[in-house]
Amino acid sequence: MKKCFIFSINRYFHVSSAATPTPPTRPCHHIQEQRPSLLWSGSSVLLFTVRCPEHDPAVMAGTLPQHGSPKSGYSANNAAAVPAITQTDSRDKWSKKMDFLLSVIGFAVDLGNVWRFPYICYQNGGGAFLIPYILMAVFGGVPLFYMELALGQFHRTGAISIWKHICPIFKGIGYAICVIALYVSFYYNTIIAWALFYFYSSFSSILPWTNCDNVWNTPDCTNYFGVDNVTWTNSSRSPAEEFYTRNVLELHKASGLRDVGGVRWQLMLCLFLIFTIVYFSLWKGVRTSGKVVWVTATLPYIVLFILLIRGATLPGAWRGVVFYLKPQWDKLLETSVWVDAAAQIFFSLGPGFGVLLALSSYNPFTNNCYRDAIVTSLVNCLTSFVSGFVIFTVLGYMAEMRKVEVEDVAKDKGPSLLFITYPEAIANMMGSTFFAIIFFVMMITLGLDSTFGGLEAIITAVLDEYPDYFSHRRELFVLCLVVICFLGSLSTLTNGGAYVVKLLEEFGVGCSIIAVGFLEAIAVSWFYGIKRFSNDVQAMLGQAPGLFWRVCWVAISPAFLAYIIVSSLLKAPPLTLFDYKYPDWSITVGYIIGFSSFMWIPIYMVYKLVWTPGSLKQRLAVCLRPERTIPDIHADTLNMATVSQKDMNTSVCL
């Protein structure tokens, strides 16, 4: 016996299955006429248009472009044409396909690609590290990247509301993602503000970190470029290091996290300018941000190419390249190398941050997200690899000038590599001002792209979850969000702000986002079901994912994330920054910060179970079953039009 469901008007429904469904052959008593409005060739999507005469003589009109078809729609029983309104404003869309690709590449390729990958590569065996890195990318990072793009494109909604389509009890994942994105905005934009400060300081014939003749320098300042018989000791500090620590950060005015000092007004002004750019790039949605990324996502590649050519011509560059790629095969037997490879590819590609969900939700329904995932992942990994040459050619040059080993020069890691080591090398090149300006422009644009993505994840998630409150107030909501991020960043602008940045970077994101990604993979593959998810992908692309992808989603990718989590918790290194060792109480605060985002997952689970009626078994069944397994297909995506009618009902027999 067929079941008949009554739905409100102006809704399109599709049935996704392994085989193309056939329209009902026996009409139910609600339906006077039933007629297939769209059969999507090459996929498993079929839309049925039905009418309920007792409610209204004309319910729905559908269009499908056909060869030789002069009509864009039809009216049942050849009645007079009903004015059709195409729903083009149902959801914002990318103006061009390249807007989307550049936005994804801009988010994935960030400052970490420039400093973190080269450092981890040489630390973990040089060229030998590429083996675990590629394996972790193929079996862990790329499948998760592909999964998130497909989820966002199919369900066309943000990180919070998407869970009612997948597994409602896991909705807390969406809230956790938003909290983590906030923490990232509190410190990540401060790093961009540091780059902007350097950019301003670069407009000088002699860069201020070239010599030791400035007011912020100390007797330990040692300039070895262009000077013979200079002895470099453990207490020696380069001009670039003192410029960074004593002029940009003013760390010497802070005693640690207990006394971080006052706010640096210069950095606050830089951060204000950064957030101003961010606001006017995001306030109108993807139509504006999609245009901005044409500059912010492409400019870094031009600069990287220029710096690569310049670095290759420096004396001693070959020493850096050899150090970067010389394989140490014995390193492959160390567990830490595989953990670092897994963590690097996860944080580099960025699944789990909700950004890919948000960006892909503005795609057309039939967009080839599989190809997008492969292309953007390859671009990301190749960018990391090429950045290593850009960094290590310069490190080889510095080792040649200092007359030391590359290993002694390459001890700096993290932002120090970008704000001390590389600027120091640039300062002693011919045309130093030019190279300094383009280098820090590259850093600013790399950072801005990632900020766009992170905040867009919050914006899309909140606007989709609470459309009645914010759908027509996007500009105001984005303004409030930017103000909150700016105020939350004030602690990182103090004299000891670098200590706060390090704490937020380690604990605000760290294990929290990996745990979120792990639960997301489990919820989709195990609870939503790999068969159902594969059918969703087939509905969009016309073919189901292969066995490799299904096995990765079900088993390998979750194991990949669980491996990172367990290894990180069992082997947590002491937290230090320069000569400052973080006290035990600050580590406790860090764990509290990390838990403050993750806690929304169990909190929502309890809330959902308590407020759902029925017995415990019934509650679990309801909470684990998608509330709406058949999401809306928007008319603008399928080139369809609907009739604007009031008080209409549509019956669908399945």
Side-chain angles (χ1 to χ4, degrees):
M1 179 178 180
K2 293 184 174 66
K3 296 181 180 179
C4 190
F5 302 94
I6 309 297
F7 296 98
S8 60
I9 188 60
N10 290 341
R11 296 284 300 279
Y12 292 103
F13 299 89
H14 75 277
V15 181
S16 175
S17 62
T20 303
T22 57
T25 56
R26 182 169 54 88
C28 79
H29 67 279
H30 287 293
I31 300 178
Q32 175 183 351
E33 172 185 307
Q34 47 194 36
R35 175 178 179 183
S37 64
L38 171 63
L39 175 60
W40 203 337
S41 177
S43 73
S44 59
V45 176
L46 183 65
L47 298 181
F48 299 107
T49 300
V50 294
R51 297 183 59 231
C52 297
E54 61 266 44
H55 295 292
D56 196 277
V59 175
M60 185 178 284
T63 66
L64 174 64
Q66 299 178 0
H67 295 292
S69 175
K71 296 183 179 182
S72 60
Y74 69 84
S75 178
N77 294 334
N78 297 323
V82 181
I85 302 175
T86 303
Q87 295 181 338
T88 55
D89 59 343
S90 58
R91 187 172 184 82
D92 206 356
K93 304 184 298 294
W94 296 104
S95 299
K96 298 177 181 178
K97 174 65 176 288
M98 281 302 297
D99 293 357
F100 166 70
L101 290 177
L102 290 176
S103 296
V104 174
I105 291 172
F107 161 71
V109 179
D110 65 348
L111 296 173
N113 291 74
V114 178
W115 69 261
R116 198 170 190 272
F117 177 83
Y119 174 80
I120 288 180
C121 186
Y122 88 77
Q123 186 186 48
N124 291 287
F129 176 75
L130 296 178
I131 295 177
Y133 179 77
I134 292 173
L135 288 176
M136 290 297 179
V138 171
F139 292 100
V142 178
L144 292 171
F145 192 88
Y146 177 24
M147 171 186 281
E148 197 155 309
L149 284 182
L151 285 172
Q153 182 172 305
F154 182 82
H155 296 288
R156 301 195 73 185
T157 187
I160 298 177
S161 54
I162 193 173
W163 291 101
K164 64 187 175 185
H165 302 305
I166 300 174
C167 189
I169 201 171
F170 285 99
K171 192 175 181 178
I173 290 177
Y175 293 104
I177 287 174
C178 292
V179 174
I180 292 173
L182 272 180
Y183 288 156
V184 172
S185 70
F186 290 166
Y187 76 84
Y188 193 81
N189 293 285
T190 297
I191 298 176
I192 308 175
W194 296 346
L196 184 58
F197 187 95
Y198 268 86
F199 174 74
Y200 171 77
S201 302
S202 299
F203 286 91
S204 173
S205 57
I206 300 178
L207 297 175
W209 56 86
T210 303
N211 53 57
C212 298
D213 303 329
N214 304 289
V215 294
W216 57 80
N217 292 127
T218 66
D220 291 330
C221 182
T222 304
N223 186 9
Y224 55 88
F225 280 92
V227 181
D228 296 328
N229 300 322
V230 173
T231 302
W232 188 268
T233 65
N234 291 333
S235 61
S236 297
R237 298 291 181 266
S238 68
E241 181 177 348
E242 292 204 341
F243 177 81
Y244 176 57
T245 59
R246 298 181 62 84
N247 185 46
V248 179
L249 303 180
E250 292 189 352
L251 276 176
H252 61 286
K253 295 183 180 180
S255 58
L257 286 174
R258 288 189 179 275
D259 180 19
V260 294
V263 174
R264 299 264 291 120
W265 68 266
Q266 298 95 330
L267 294 181
M268 186 170 67
L269 179 60
C270 290
L271 187 66
F272 177 79
L273 293 175
I274 293 297
F275 273 120
T276 301
I277 296 173
V278 170
Y279 173 72
F280 285 108
S281 299
L282 296 177
W283 69 324
K284 292 294 185 181
V286 295
R287 291 182 181 273
T288 53
S289 63
K291 297 297 179 289
V292 176
V293 294
W294 280 84
V295 176
T296 57
T298 57
L299 186 60
Y301 288 96
I302 298 174
V303 176
L304 274 176
F305 179 74
I306 295 173
L307 294 177
L308 178 62
I309 298 300
R310 183 67 184 102
T313 60
L314 294 172
W318 64 272
R319 294 177 59 189
V321 173
V322 170
F323 184 79
Y324 173 44
L325 293 180
K326 183 180 179 180
Q328 302 175 39
W329 302 110
D330 57 308
K331 286 279 190 179
L332 296 179
L333 301 177
E334 299 179 12
T335 305
S336 60
V337 173
W338 294 84
V339 174
D340 286 345
Q344 170 61 24
I345 195 65
F346 179 81
F347 286 110
S348 180
L349 291 176
F353 284 86
V355 177
L356 303 176
L357 286 174
L359 297 181
S360 62
S361 70
Y362 299 105
N363 274 333
F365 186 77
T366 55
N367 175 65
N368 193 335
C369 56
Y370 169 73
R371 182 178 56 198
D372 294 345
I374 300 299
V375 169
T376 51
S377 298
L378 281 175
V379 170
N380 179 276
C381 295
L382 288 175
T383 303
S384 298
F385 184 64
V386 172
S387 297
F389 289 97
V390 174
I391 295 296
F392 275 92
T393 51
V394 170
L395 293 182
Y397 165 65
M398 291 181 64
E400 186 82 8
M401 295 296 101
R402 286 190 188 182
K403 295 180 174 58
V404 296
E405 296 298 322
V406 179
E407 185 176 6
D408 298 325
V409 180
K411 61 184 179 180
D412 289 329
K413 61 179 180 178
S416 298
L417 187 63
L418 301 180
F419 292 108
I420 297 177
T421 309
Y422 210 91
E424 182 180 344
I426 288 177
N428 294 277
M429 294 179 186
M430 184 178 297
S432 58
T433 299
F434 168 74
F435 287 109
I437 290 174
I438 65 171
F439 177 72
F440 290 111
V441 165
M442 179 190 73
M443 287 182 59
I444 293 169
T445 53
L446 282 173
L448 283 174
D449 285 334
S450 297
T451 295
F452 294 159
L455 293 186
E456 186 60 53
I458 302 176
I459 296 166
T460 301
V462 175
L463 265 60
D464 286 344
E465 178 65 13
Y466 307 104
D468 295 338
Y469 297 99
F470 302 114
S471 61
H472 300 293
R473 302 182 181 90
R474 180 186 172 99
E475 293 88 348
L476 181 60
F477 175 75
V478 174
L479 178 62
C480 293
L481 177 62
V482 167
V483 170
I484 291 172
C485 294
F486 179 80
L487 295 177
S489 304
L490 290 180
S491 62
T492 64
L493 303 176
T494 58
N495 302 126
Y499 301 133
V500 182
V501 168
K502 182 73 172 179
L503 190 70
L504 287 173
E505 183 183 12
E506 290 291 328
F507 295 101
V509 186
C511 282
S512 300
I513 194 63
I514 300 175
V516 165
F518 172 75
L519 290 179
E520 180 181 312
I522 291 295
V524 174
S525 300
W526 296 5
F527 291 91
Y528 184 66
I530 195 63
K531 182 177 181 181
R532 180 183 290 167
F533 178 63
S534 297
N535 289 339
D536 294 346
V537 175
Q538 184 180 7
M540 294 185 294
L541 306 184
Q543 59 183 7
L547 179 62
F548 167 78
W549 298 105
R550 298 199 300 272
V551 171
C552 285
W553 289 330
V554 170
I556 299 179
S557 295
F560 157 85
L561 294 174
Y563 178 62
I564 304 176
I565 296 170
V566 173
S567 301
S568 301
L569 294 176
L570 292 180
K571 196 176 180 181
L575 193 61
T576 59
L577 181 65
F578 298 112
D579 298 327
Y580 178 73
K581 183 179 179 181
Y582 282 72
D584 293 338
W585 66 266
S586 66
I587 304 299
T588 304
V589 170
Y591 282 119
I592 293 174
I593 293 173
F595 182 71
S596 67
S597 59
F598 186 79
M599 69 179 185
W600 296 106
I601 300 175
I603 286 176
Y604 188 84
M605 286 180 174
V606 173
Y607 163 79
K608 187 69 175 175
L609 285 172
V610 169
W611 285 96
T612 301
S615 64
L616 180 59
K617 184 178 180 180
Q618 291 172 332
R619 294 180 184 188
L620 285 173
V622 171
C623 293
L624 295 176
R625 185 175 61 244
E627 294 177 7
R628 287 164 53 195
T629 58
I630 306 178
D632 294 337
I633 293 184
H634 298 271
D636 57 294
T637 303
L638 298 181
N639 191 26
M640 298 183 70
T642 76
V643 180
S644 177
Q645 301 282 356
K646 293 183 178 180
D647 300 323
M648 294 183 184
N649 287 323
T650 301
S651 297
V652 178
C653 289
L654 301 177

